[in-house]
Amino acid sequence: MNKKMLVIVATAVSVLAGCQTYDRAASYVKEPVVSDVKTGMTRAQVRAIAGPPSTEATLIHAKGTCQTYAVAPRDGKAQTYFVSYNDMGRVMNKGYQTCSDYDKDPQASK
């Protein structure tokens, strides 16, 4: 009988832990810069959606410029989300890393 109860408790804990992880992951997609910014948008459209960036940098390897946004912390650590722009001022890429990390290997984000 104790084994059966242990299995039930372990299953319940696993289910609850899975729900918590899912909820945390969903909160990142709710960030406007993550959910609403699309490739091809203008710089003005991104600013209207996401507000001002935390930083802006000129890219060397990827060419163009890049803006970094602070988004909801994950597992207690600050998260950054980059939006890179081509020479025409249109979004060419975006993702969870810093502009400097993206510029080191722009092909890795695609």
Side-chain angles (χ1 to χ4, degrees):
M1 184 90 160
N2 283 342
K3 272 188 170 181
K4 191 174 188 178
M5 184 58 114
L6 182 61
V7 169
I8 291 170
V9 169
T11 302
V13 168
S14 296
V15 168
L16 291 175
C19 290
Q20 182 181 10
T21 302
Y22 177 78
D23 289 343
R24 275 190 280 160
S27 71
Y28 301 118
V29 178
K30 292 177 186 173
E31 294 273 351
V33 71
V34 176
S35 62
D36 299 338
V37 172
K38 307 292 183 227
T39 302
M41 286 183 154
T42 65
R43 200 180 282 272
Q45 289 172 314
V46 173
R47 186 174 277 272
I49 291 169
S54 301
T55 63
E56 186 163 347
T58 300
L59 300 172
I60 297 168
H61 302 290
K63 307 281 189 228
T65 58
C66 185
Q67 296 176 336
T68 302
Y69 291 85
V71 295
R74 186 177 200 169
D75 298 327
K77 296 179 184 176
Q79 290 291 299
T80 57
Y81 193 84
F82 80 92
V83 178
S84 65
Y85 300 90
N86 62 21
D87 292 334
M88 302 292 288
R90 300 253 177 200
V91 174
M92 65 179 175
N93 212 337
K94 55 198 171 59
Y96 283 102
Q97 64 186 112
T98 65
C99 289
S100 64
D101 288 340
Y102 168 68
D103 197 29
K104 289 176 189 169
D105 190 7
Q107 297 301 317
S109 292
K110 294 183 179 186

